[in-house]
Amino acid sequence: MAITLSMRNLSLRKTPKLSNEEFKQLTSFIYEKTGISIPPRRKYLIENKLGKRLNELNIKTYSDYIKYLKFSPQKETEFKKLCELITINETCFFRDIKQLTLFKNIILPEMLKKRQEQGSKSLTIWSAGCSSGEEPYTLGIILHEVLKVSIIGWNIKIYANDLSPAMLFKARKGIYNEYSLRTTPENIKKKYFTVTKEGYKIHPKVQKLVNFQLINLADPRDVKKIPKSDIIFCRNVIIYFDDAVKKKVLSHFYENLKDDGYLFLGYSESIHRITKLFKPQIKPGGIVYQKNL
Amino acid sequence: MKKICVEYIVPGMILAKPVQGLDGSELFPEGTELGEEEKKVLEDAGIDYIYVTARSEESEQSILQTVAQEYAFKFFMYVNPDNKLFVELFNIIVELIFDALKKGWELPCEDYIRAKSVERMRDLFLKDMGGPEDIVKHELSLASFPDVYFRLKKVLENPSSSAKDIAEVVSSDVALTTKLLKLVNSPLFGLTQKVDSVERAVSLVGEEELSNLVLGISAIRYFKDIPPELMDMQTFWKHSLSCAIFAKIIASNYRDVNDEVLFTAGLLHDVGKLILFKNMPYSSVETLVFARENMVPMMEAEEYVLGFTHTDISKLLMNSWQFPNTINDIVSNHHNPTEASFETGAAIVQLADNLANAVGISYGNTFVVPGMDEDVFDKLNFPVEKLKPIVLKHNKLLNDLLSALT
């Protein structure tokens, strides 16, 4: 592996310098508006991620960018752009199959049976932090798989929200690439997706179950827009909040969830240090949470 | 003509083959010059690979340089871009990638890197229901560490034992002896004469040093016998050995540091990860994905996903195996050398780990570069100009040693 060509002195710096003071201003602004907490060790990452945006806007310093975020006529739009840059949208259909199997085989049938006995035949699921829609659509597919034609007799609503308008746009469009479907079984792919020029399009019968909204989980007024849920999915979202905001978001879930409802968190998320509002229940395939009443 | 992932398109590339959409319709004809707009269309259409060429030889060189830089840069998103260590590492890596690309290396796609399907894998412990202690306890119940190491240890502890006694213990294990002799005869050790017996090796390398090497080789064998399903052992030991070579070479610049200890510590620095992969396969891959997508060091990802780290595991494991304290201390703290009793040693392995990961980028072995505390590097006071010669020396040694030891 001989090094043949010399290209010395490449620089790693592609952005203006973000001072500690600017970093503090920026992160407290983000925290106030979104609840997302960015620790100091992320300084260079933020510098890199936002640096590109500064270039696009032809803004020379982060101080000027902060002013732009706070005071410019475009501040609303820019705030949404900022959200897109700092949130992570990695997801796919049928992510964490063991947990979804638990949902499909145990939790969902139990809940459907209960509601039917209560004579309501209605079910509300909230996919909190849905990114580009893979999770709520996965849940929709599972509902179709479990209920089959009898789904017609049910009033099913899946509410899905995210902080990023770009993600919601993609979610509403419902078109995905191969990578998003990497953990989706072949038969499901055939049944619920059609191949189009742009990619795999989700079936309209799944799409119509899902209602997408732009919502900030840390904002109590926003959260009130979601009707009381039977089941809440919030996977790999609360990690971006600090403990105070986590606590707040979990209390929103507590208020929203019906007394016999279930909360699903990400595979590696635990909340027992944060709040006693929920009690974990160990089931085959993972942990689900129920309200501590 | 080169096959590349859509994400690595840089302006100026020319399509060498037409591209079809998922439904079979033609998106772009052959000969299309690609720019940001075309890249976006291809990405949205979910195209993985395309075949590209360039207008001229010159243009191809400059395109490959850009690709190499952009590919390498992703590994450096979270480090201080003004720090001389990272700038130097970046420069070295770009050269290595550029060189590999010219030789026809296909850059692995981001999707491919992440798309390890682990959905069927089951972790032995659920989060918060099994910590490092449980994992190590489970591990120890499965197999015991090769006996020859403990017998050797006993001999060393006896003040009246001689080189011959040591040689006797080691020579009883033929496979071990072969590997040991290959190792000490490698140019890495720079011995002027050929060593053809263990006894001779003891007298040239030293008793303590030799036992450390035996420890390292035994460890490779222990783990080879029980490979985790998910981890490609060759890849794992390539990285470990790479780190060991770097650690030994760097250590030779410090008077109060024992090269062989550093070699073994480098070789063993990630054994905690092996144990994790065996017991927590699902979480282990979640950790990799988390680190990659959030662009954070592995340690942070492990803290988050698992609630503990691979060094918590190796610390307990090495304790129960009664490994030498120095090696345990270095390995346990190679991500936070300031907490080590032997800070220089831990810092050397940290630097070596960064170099090994950096070099690994140029053959697709690296997921994230671990990063290094800038103060720790400053304290080590290692001249950055020496890094590139070290990398060249390392590259010459790696493959021979790898086939000798694994």
Side-chain angles (χ1 to χ4, degrees), chain A residues 192-230:
Chain A
Y192 295 97
F193 293 89
T194 43
V195 177
T196 69
K197 190 171 178 173
E198 291 175 279
Y200 293 89
K201 182 153 182 26
I202 184 85
H203 199 289
K205 73 177 179 189
V206 176
Q207 206 162 16
K208 74 171 189 204
L209 298 177
V210 187
N211 178 328
F212 290 102
Q213 294 179 35
L214 185 74
I215 274 179
N216 178 353
L217 290 177
D219 185 335
R221 282 164 310 171
D222 266 14
V223 175
K224 291 243 156 56
K225 292 179 195 160
I226 309 283
K228 289 243 173 196
S229 312
D230 297 290

mmCIF file of all heavy atoms in Angstrom, chain A residues 192-230:
data_model
loop_
_atom_site.group_PDB
_atom_site.id
_atom_site.type_symbol
_atom_site.label_atom_id
_atom_site.label_comp_id
_atom_site.label_asym_id
_atom_site.label_seq_id
_atom_site.Cartn_x
_atom_site.Cartn_y
_atom_site.Cartn_z
ATOM 1 N N TYR A 192 -48.172 -4.690 0.400
ATOM 2 C CA TYR A 192 -48.479 -3.328 0.842
ATOM 3 C C TYR A 192 -47.726 -2.222 0.108
ATOM 4 O O TYR A 192 -47.850 -1.067 0.456
ATOM 5 C CB TYR A 192 -48.242 -3.209 2.350
ATOM 6 C CG TYR A 192 -49.180 -4.071 3.150
ATOM 7 C CD1 TYR A 192 -48.801 -5.323 3.603
ATOM 8 C CD2 TYR A 192 -50.482 -3.635 3.428
ATOM 9 C CE1 TYR A 192 -49.663 -6.122 4.327
ATOM 10 C CE2 TYR A 192 -51.359 -4.425 4.143
ATOM 11 C CZ TYR A 192 -50.946 -5.680 4.593
ATOM 12 O OH TYR A 192 -51.815 -6.461 5.311
ATOM 13 N N PHE A 193 -46.927 -2.594 -0.873
ATOM 14 C CA PHE A 193 -46.193 -1.553 -1.607
ATOM 15 C C PHE A 193 -46.346 -1.770 -3.103
ATOM 16 O O PHE A 193 -46.408 -2.908 -3.563
ATOM 17 C CB PHE A 193 -44.700 -1.584 -1.248
ATOM 18 C CG PHE A 193 -44.417 -1.195 0.173
ATOM 19 C CD1 PHE A 193 -44.404 -2.158 1.172
ATOM 20 C CD2 PHE A 193 -44.196 0.139 0.520
ATOM 21 C CE1 PHE A 193 -44.154 -1.809 2.492
ATOM 22 C CE2 PHE A 193 -43.952 0.490 1.838
ATOM 23 C CZ PHE A 193 -43.928 -0.484 2.829
ATOM 24 N N THR A 194 -46.418 -0.654 -3.834
ATOM 25 C CA THR A 194 -46.350 -0.784 -5.286
ATOM 26 C C THR A 194 -45.070 -0.109 -5.759
ATOM 27 O O THR A 194 -44.646 0.906 -5.199
ATOM 28 C CB THR A 194 -47.543 -0.108 -5.979
ATOM 29 O OG1 THR A 194 -47.773 1.146 -5.343
ATOM 30 C CG2 THR A 194 -48.802 -0.957 -5.881
ATOM 31 N N VAL A 195 -44.480 -0.702 -6.761
ATOM 32 C CA VAL A 195 -43.239 -0.145 -7.277
ATOM 33 C C VAL A 195 -43.564 0.984 -8.258
ATOM 34 O O VAL A 195 -44.320 0.805 -9.201
ATOM 35 C CB VAL A 195 -42.425 -1.244 -7.985
ATOM 36 C CG1 VAL A 195 -41.158 -0.653 -8.578
ATOM 37 C CG2 VAL A 195 -42.081 -2.352 -7.013
ATOM 38 N N THR A 196 -43.016 2.149 -7.983
ATOM 39 C CA THR A 196 -43.187 3.271 -8.898
ATOM 40 C C THR A 196 -41.809 3.735 -9.346
ATOM 41 O O THR A 196 -40.796 3.260 -8.845
ATOM 42 C CB THR A 196 -43.891 4.457 -8.220
ATOM 43 O OG1 THR A 196 -42.987 5.003 -7.244
ATOM 44 C CG2 THR A 196 -45.174 4.021 -7.538
ATOM 45 N N LYS A 197 -41.835 4.687 -10.257
ATOM 46 C CA LYS A 197 -40.576 5.212 -10.757
ATOM 47 C C LYS A 197 -39.715 5.774 -9.614
ATOM 48 O O LYS A 197 -38.507 5.648 -9.596
ATOM 49 C CB LYS A 197 -40.875 6.304 -11.786
ATOM 50 C CG LYS A 197 -39.666 6.754 -12.554
ATOM 51 C CD LYS A 197 -40.051 7.656 -13.694
ATOM 52 C CE LYS A 197 -38.786 8.120 -14.395
ATOM 53 N NZ LYS A 197 -39.059 8.864 -15.619
ATOM 54 N N GLU A 198 -40.376 6.383 -8.653
ATOM 55 C CA GLU A 198 -39.636 7.030 -7.557
ATOM 56 C C GLU A 198 -39.263 6.081 -6.423
ATOM 57 O O GLU A 198 -38.470 6.431 -5.555
ATOM 58 C CB GLU A 198 -40.475 8.157 -6.959
ATOM 59 C CG GLU A 198 -40.665 9.332 -7.870
ATOM 60 C CD GLU A 198 -41.614 10.327 -7.234
ATOM 61 O OE1 GLU A 198 -42.836 10.119 -7.309
ATOM 62 O OE2 GLU A 198 -41.125 11.293 -6.636
ATOM 63 N N GLY A 199 -39.884 4.907 -6.389
ATOM 64 C CA GLY A 199 -39.578 3.981 -5.308
ATOM 65 C C GLY A 199 -40.814 3.185 -4.910
ATOM 66 O O GLY A 199 -41.771 3.092 -5.675
ATOM 67 N N TYR A 200 -40.751 2.609 -3.705
ATOM 68 C CA TYR A 200 -41.867 1.801 -3.231
ATOM 69 C C TYR A 200 -42.930 2.692 -2.598
ATOM 70 O O TYR A 200 -42.656 3.416 -1.657
ATOM 71 C CB TYR A 200 -41.379 0.793 -2.186
ATOM 72 C CG TYR A 200 -40.469 -0.262 -2.742
ATOM 73 C CD1 TYR A 200 -39.091 -0.052 -2.795
ATOM 74 C CD2 TYR A 200 -40.971 -1.465 -3.215
ATOM 75 C CE1 TYR A 200 -38.243 -1.022 -3.298
ATOM 76 C CE2 TYR A 200 -40.132 -2.440 -3.721
ATOM 77 C CZ TYR A 200 -38.776 -2.207 -3.760
ATOM 78 O OH TYR A 200 -37.952 -3.171 -4.259
ATOM 79 N N LYS A 201 -44.158 2.582 -3.126
ATOM 80 C CA LYS A 201 -45.220 3.438 -2.582
ATOM 81 C C LYS A 201 -46.115 2.616 -1.660
ATOM 82 O O LYS A 201 -46.558 1.525 -2.009
ATOM 83 C CB LYS A 201 -46.046 4.025 -3.725
ATOM 84 C CG LYS A 201 -47.138 4.949 -3.241
ATOM 85 C CD LYS A 201 -47.522 5.997 -4.259
ATOM 86 C CE LYS A 201 -48.582 6.966 -3.750
ATOM 87 N NZ LYS A 201 -48.681 7.177 -2.319
ATOM 88 N N ILE A 202 -46.379 3.177 -0.479
ATOM 89 C CA ILE A 202 -47.207 2.485 0.503
ATOM 90 C C ILE A 202 -48.658 2.423 0.017
ATOM 91 O O ILE A 202 -49.142 3.349 -0.633
ATOM 92 C CB ILE A 202 -47.099 3.174 1.890
ATOM 93 C CG1 ILE A 202 -47.867 2.416 2.981
ATOM 94 C CG2 ILE A 202 -47.627 4.597 1.851
ATOM 95 C CD1 ILE A 202 -47.086 1.311 3.603
ATOM 96 N N HIS A 203 -49.348 1.333 0.307
ATOM 97 C CA HIS A 203 -50.730 1.141 -0.144
ATOM 98 C C HIS A 203 -51.668 2.182 0.484
ATOM 99 O O HIS A 203 -51.577 2.444 1.684
ATOM 100 C CB HIS A 203 -51.193 -0.268 0.243
ATOM 101 C CG HIS A 203 -52.375 -0.735 -0.532
ATOM 102 N ND1 HIS A 203 -53.641 -0.216 -0.343
ATOM 103 C CD2 HIS A 203 -52.498 -1.655 -1.516
ATOM 104 C CE1 HIS A 203 -54.487 -0.814 -1.163
ATOM 105 N NE2 HIS A 203 -53.817 -1.686 -1.901
ATOM 106 N N PRO A 204 -52.588 2.739 -0.303
ATOM 107 C CA PRO A 204 -53.503 3.767 0.229
ATOM 108 C C PRO A 204 -54.337 3.276 1.420
ATOM 109 O O PRO A 204 -54.666 4.069 2.296
ATOM 110 C CB PRO A 204 -54.430 4.079 -0.955
ATOM 111 C CG PRO A 204 -53.727 3.589 -2.169
ATOM 112 C CD PRO A 204 -52.787 2.524 -1.752
ATOM 113 N N LYS A 205 -54.622 1.992 1.477
ATOM 114 C CA LYS A 205 -55.438 1.518 2.600
ATOM 115 C C LYS A 205 -54.672 1.590 3.920
ATOM 116 O O LYS A 205 -55.277 1.665 4.987
ATOM 117 C CB LYS A 205 -55.975 0.100 2.326
ATOM 118 C CG LYS A 205 -54.952 -1.016 2.416
ATOM 119 C CD LYS A 205 -55.609 -2.378 2.188
ATOM 120 C CE LYS A 205 -54.558 -3.479 2.247
ATOM 121 N NZ LYS A 205 -55.070 -4.798 1.833
ATOM 122 N N VAL A 206 -53.340 1.576 3.838
ATOM 123 C CA VAL A 206 -52.528 1.771 5.043
ATOM 124 C C VAL A 206 -52.398 3.271 5.298
ATOM 125 O O VAL A 206 -52.544 3.760 6.413
ATOM 126 C CB VAL A 206 -51.128 1.147 4.887
ATOM 127 C CG1 VAL A 206 -50.259 1.447 6.097
ATOM 128 C CG2 VAL A 206 -51.233 -0.354 4.664
ATOM 129 N N GLN A 207 -52.163 3.975 4.204
ATOM 130 C CA GLN A 207 -51.938 5.412 4.298
ATOM 131 C C GLN A 207 -53.113 6.134 4.957
ATOM 132 O O GLN A 207 -52.924 7.038 5.757
ATOM 133 C CB GLN A 207 -51.702 5.973 2.891
ATOM 134 C CG GLN A 207 -50.881 7.235 2.887
ATOM 135 C CD GLN A 207 -50.293 7.507 1.515
ATOM 136 O OE1 GLN A 207 -50.717 6.931 0.499
ATOM 137 N NE2 GLN A 207 -49.318 8.384 1.452
ATOM 138 N N LYS A 208 -54.324 5.682 4.631
ATOM 139 C CA LYS A 208 -55.479 6.428 5.147
ATOM 140 C C LYS A 208 -55.711 6.215 6.650
ATOM 141 O O LYS A 208 -56.479 6.939 7.263
ATOM 142 C CB LYS A 208 -56.731 6.100 4.340
ATOM 143 C CG LYS A 208 -57.326 4.746 4.612
ATOM 144 C CD LYS A 208 -58.678 4.612 3.931
ATOM 145 C CE LYS A 208 -59.342 3.322 4.418
ATOM 146 N NZ LYS A 208 -60.319 2.783 3.525
ATOM 147 N N LEU A 209 -55.026 5.251 7.235
ATOM 148 C CA LEU A 209 -55.132 5.066 8.686
ATOM 149 C C LEU A 209 -54.325 6.116 9.444
ATOM 150 O O LEU A 209 -54.535 6.353 10.621
ATOM 151 C CB LEU A 209 -54.609 3.684 9.098
ATOM 152 C CG LEU A 209 -55.295 2.426 8.575
ATOM 153 C CD1 LEU A 209 -54.560 1.184 9.069
ATOM 154 C CD2 LEU A 209 -56.748 2.379 9.034
ATOM 155 N N VAL A 210 -53.348 6.694 8.747
ATOM 156 C CA VAL A 210 -52.372 7.529 9.447
ATOM 157 C C VAL A 210 -52.615 9.025 9.223
ATOM 158 O O VAL A 210 -52.857 9.461 8.106
ATOM 159 C CB VAL A 210 -50.930 7.179 9.000
ATOM 160 C CG1 VAL A 210 -49.909 7.919 9.844
ATOM 161 C CG2 VAL A 210 -50.678 5.677 9.089
ATOM 162 N N ASN A 211 -52.531 9.759 10.306
ATOM 163 C CA ASN A 211 -52.735 11.191 10.279
ATOM 164 C C ASN A 211 -51.450 11.878 10.776
ATOM 165 O O ASN A 211 -51.049 11.702 11.916
ATOM 166 C CB ASN A 211 -53.917 11.471 11.226
ATOM 167 C CG ASN A 211 -54.226 12.941 11.335
ATOM 168 O OD1 ASN A 211 -53.350 13.797 11.242
ATOM 169 N ND2 ASN A 211 -55.490 13.246 11.551
ATOM 170 N N PHE A 212 -50.788 12.604 9.875
ATOM 171 C CA PHE A 212 -49.498 13.224 10.236
ATOM 172 C C PHE A 212 -49.671 14.667 10.701
ATOM 173 O O PHE A 212 -50.440 15.425 10.121
ATOM 174 C CB PHE A 212 -48.556 13.204 9.032
ATOM 175 C CG PHE A 212 -48.082 11.827 8.677
ATOM 176 C CD1 PHE A 212 -48.649 11.130 7.609
ATOM 177 C CD2 PHE A 212 -47.081 11.210 9.407
ATOM 178 C CE1 PHE A 212 -48.212 9.860 7.274
ATOM 179 C CE2 PHE A 212 -46.636 9.931 9.078
ATOM 180 C CZ PHE A 212 -47.203 9.256 8.014
ATOM 181 N N GLN A 213 -48.934 15.030 11.734
ATOM 182 C CA GLN A 213 -48.988 16.410 12.230
ATOM 183 C C GLN A 213 -47.605 16.893 12.673
ATOM 184 O O GLN A 213 -46.810 16.106 13.168
ATOM 185 C CB GLN A 213 -49.918 16.495 13.447
ATOM 186 C CG GLN A 213 -51.367 16.212 13.134
ATOM 187 C CD GLN A 213 -52.231 16.294 14.390
ATOM 188 O OE1 GLN A 213 -51.978 17.111 15.267
ATOM 189 N NE2 GLN A 213 -53.229 15.442 14.477
ATOM 190 N N LEU A 214 -47.418 18.192 12.512
ATOM 191 C CA LEU A 214 -46.174 18.799 12.988
ATOM 192 C C LEU A 214 -46.348 19.145 14.456
ATOM 193 O O LEU A 214 -47.132 20.025 14.812
ATOM 194 C CB LEU A 214 -45.891 20.069 12.178
ATOM 195 C CG LEU A 214 -44.573 20.777 12.463
ATOM 196 C CD1 LEU A 214 -43.410 20.010 11.885
ATOM 197 C CD2 LEU A 214 -44.589 22.191 11.901
ATOM 198 N N ILE A 215 -45.653 18.427 15.305
ATOM 199 C CA ILE A 215 -45.858 18.615 16.740
ATOM 200 C C ILE A 215 -44.530 18.565 17.480
ATOM 201 O O ILE A 215 -43.647 17.789 17.150
ATOM 202 C CB ILE A 215 -46.806 17.512 17.285
ATOM 203 C CG1 ILE A 215 -48.261 17.947 17.092
ATOM 204 C CG2 ILE A 215 -46.545 17.214 18.756
ATOM 205 C CD1 ILE A 215 -49.247 16.917 17.583
ATOM 206 N N ASN A 216 -44.420 19.431 18.478
ATOM 207 C CA ASN A 216 -43.268 19.429 19.358
ATOM 208 C C ASN A 216 -43.660 18.710 20.651
ATOM 209 O O ASN A 216 -44.498 19.192 21.401
ATOM 210 C CB ASN A 216 -42.869 20.877 19.611
ATOM 211 C CG ASN A 216 -41.703 21.015 20.556
ATOM 212 O OD1 ASN A 216 -41.250 20.032 21.151
ATOM 213 N ND2 ASN A 216 -41.210 22.220 20.700
ATOM 214 N N LEU A 217 -43.044 17.580 20.902
ATOM 215 C CA LEU A 217 -43.438 16.744 22.048
ATOM 216 C C LEU A 217 -43.271 17.446 23.387
ATOM 217 O O LEU A 217 -43.905 17.087 24.370
ATOM 218 C CB LEU A 217 -42.627 15.446 22.064
ATOM 219 C CG LEU A 217 -42.912 14.426 20.971
ATOM 220 C CD1 LEU A 217 -41.966 13.241 21.109
ATOM 221 C CD2 LEU A 217 -44.355 13.963 21.035
ATOM 222 N N ALA A 218 -42.393 18.440 23.416
ATOM 223 C CA ALA A 218 -42.135 19.118 24.681
ATOM 224 C C ALA A 218 -43.158 20.230 24.937
ATOM 225 O O ALA A 218 -43.200 20.804 26.011
ATOM 226 C CB ALA A 218 -40.724 19.691 24.680
ATOM 227 N N ASP A 219 -43.976 20.519 23.933
ATOM 228 C CA ASP A 219 -44.927 21.625 24.065
ATOM 229 C C ASP A 219 -46.311 21.087 24.448
ATOM 230 O O ASP A 219 -46.967 20.402 23.665
ATOM 231 C CB ASP A 219 -44.999 22.370 22.718
ATOM 232 C CG ASP A 219 -45.874 23.601 22.800
ATOM 233 O OD1 ASP A 219 -46.771 23.642 23.673
ATOM 234 O OD2 ASP A 219 -45.675 24.525 21.984
ATOM 235 N N PRO A 220 -46.777 21.409 25.677
ATOM 236 C CA PRO A 220 -48.038 20.838 26.158
ATOM 237 C C PRO A 220 -49.244 21.177 25.255
ATOM 238 O O PRO A 220 -50.129 20.358 25.087
ATOM 239 C CB PRO A 220 -48.210 21.443 27.551
ATOM 240 C CG PRO A 220 -47.117 22.410 27.756
ATOM 241 C CD PRO A 220 -46.108 22.266 26.665
ATOM 242 N N ARG A 221 -49.218 22.389 24.657
ATOM 243 C CA ARG A 221 -50.364 22.761 23.797
ATOM 244 C C ARG A 221 -50.390 21.906 22.537
ATOM 245 O O ARG A 221 -51.429 21.468 22.081
ATOM 246 C CB ARG A 221 -50.275 24.241 23.405
ATOM 247 C CG ARG A 221 -50.710 25.193 24.497
ATOM 248 C CD ARG A 221 -50.225 26.566 24.170
ATOM 249 N NE ARG A 221 -48.777 26.499 23.829
ATOM 250 C CZ ARG A 221 -48.075 27.495 23.333
ATOM 251 N NH1 ARG A 221 -48.642 28.647 23.081
ATOM 252 N NH2 ARG A 221 -46.782 27.340 23.075
ATOM 253 N N ASP A 222 -49.207 21.669 22.006
ATOM 254 C CA ASP A 222 -49.097 20.828 20.810
ATOM 255 C C ASP A 222 -49.635 19.427 21.081
ATOM 256 O O ASP A 222 -50.393 18.855 20.307
ATOM 257 C CB ASP A 222 -47.620 20.699 20.388
ATOM 258 C CG ASP A 222 -47.246 21.736 19.348
ATOM 259 O OD1 ASP A 222 -48.052 22.687 19.174
ATOM 260 O OD2 ASP A 222 -46.174 21.606 18.723
ATOM 261 N N VAL A 223 -49.202 18.886 22.214
ATOM 262 C CA VAL A 223 -49.512 17.501 22.542
ATOM 263 C C VAL A 223 -51.018 17.298 22.729
ATOM 264 O O VAL A 223 -51.558 16.231 22.445
ATOM 265 C CB VAL A 223 -48.715 17.091 23.795
ATOM 266 C CG1 VAL A 223 -49.100 15.703 24.250
ATOM 267 C CG2 VAL A 223 -47.231 17.141 23.503
ATOM 268 N N LYS A 224 -51.691 18.362 23.170
ATOM 269 C CA LYS A 224 -53.151 18.281 23.375
ATOM 270 C C LYS A 224 -53.898 17.995 22.074
ATOM 271 O O LYS A 224 -55.061 17.611 22.085
ATOM 272 C CB LYS A 224 -53.663 19.592 23.997
ATOM 273 C CG LYS A 224 -53.189 19.788 25.424
ATOM 274 C CD LYS A 224 -54.352 19.809 26.410
ATOM 275 C CE LYS A 224 -53.914 19.430 27.814
ATOM 276 N NZ LYS A 224 -52.826 20.260 28.349
ATOM 277 N N LYS A 225 -53.244 18.219 20.951
ATOM 278 C CA LYS A 225 -53.908 17.988 19.655
ATOM 279 C C LYS A 225 -54.131 16.501 19.390
ATOM 280 O O LYS A 225 -54.872 16.133 18.496
ATOM 281 C CB LYS A 225 -53.050 18.555 18.515
ATOM 282 C CG LYS A 225 -52.940 20.060 18.509
ATOM 283 C CD LYS A 225 -52.054 20.490 17.344
ATOM 284 C CE LYS A 225 -51.620 21.932 17.493
ATOM 285 N NZ LYS A 225 -50.431 22.231 16.683
ATOM 286 N N ILE A 226 -53.436 15.641 20.142
ATOM 287 C CA ILE A 226 -53.577 14.199 19.930
ATOM 288 C C ILE A 226 -54.659 13.652 20.857
ATOM 289 O O ILE A 226 -54.574 13.838 22.075
ATOM 290 C CB ILE A 226 -52.250 13.469 20.248
ATOM 291 C CG1 ILE A 226 -51.071 14.116 19.513
ATOM 292 C CG2 ILE A 226 -52.362 11.978 19.939
ATOM 293 C CD1 ILE A 226 -50.955 13.784 18.068
ATOM 294 N N PRO A 227 -55.674 12.989 20.311
ATOM 295 C CA PRO A 227 -56.713 12.403 21.166
ATOM 296 C C PRO A 227 -56.129 11.319 22.064
ATOM 297 O O PRO A 227 -55.043 10.803 21.811
ATOM 298 C CB PRO A 227 -57.695 11.784 20.164
ATOM 299 C CG PRO A 227 -57.306 12.280 18.826
ATOM 300 C CD PRO A 227 -55.890 12.724 18.891
ATOM 301 N N LYS A 228 -56.851 10.970 23.100
ATOM 302 C CA LYS A 228 -56.394 9.936 24.041
ATOM 303 C C LYS A 228 -56.070 8.630 23.306
ATOM 304 O O LYS A 228 -56.850 8.171 22.477
ATOM 305 C CB LYS A 228 -57.488 9.679 25.072
ATOM 306 C CG LYS A 228 -57.656 10.820 26.050
ATOM 307 C CD LYS A 228 -57.320 10.324 27.430
ATOM 308 C CE LYS A 228 -57.307 11.480 28.437
ATOM 309 N NZ LYS A 228 -56.613 11.075 29.664
ATOM 310 N N SER A 229 -54.917 8.057 23.629
ATOM 311 C CA SER A 229 -54.465 6.897 22.867
ATOM 312 C C SER A 229 -54.581 5.594 23.659
ATOM 313 O O SER A 229 -54.497 5.586 24.893
ATOM 314 C CB SER A 229 -52.996 7.050 22.477
ATOM 315 O OG SER A 229 -52.768 8.312 21.925
ATOM 316 N N ASP A 230 -54.738 4.511 22.931
ATOM 317 C CA ASP A 230 -54.699 3.183 23.532
ATOM 318 C C ASP A 230 -53.260 2.684 23.623
ATOM 319 O O ASP A 230 -52.897 1.974 24.545
ATOM 320 C CB ASP A 230 -55.507 2.206 22.673
ATOM 321 C CG ASP A 230 -56.959 2.600 22.611
ATOM 322 O OD1 ASP A 230 -57.653 2.474 23.633
ATOM 323 O OD2 ASP A 230 -57.397 3.081 21.538
#
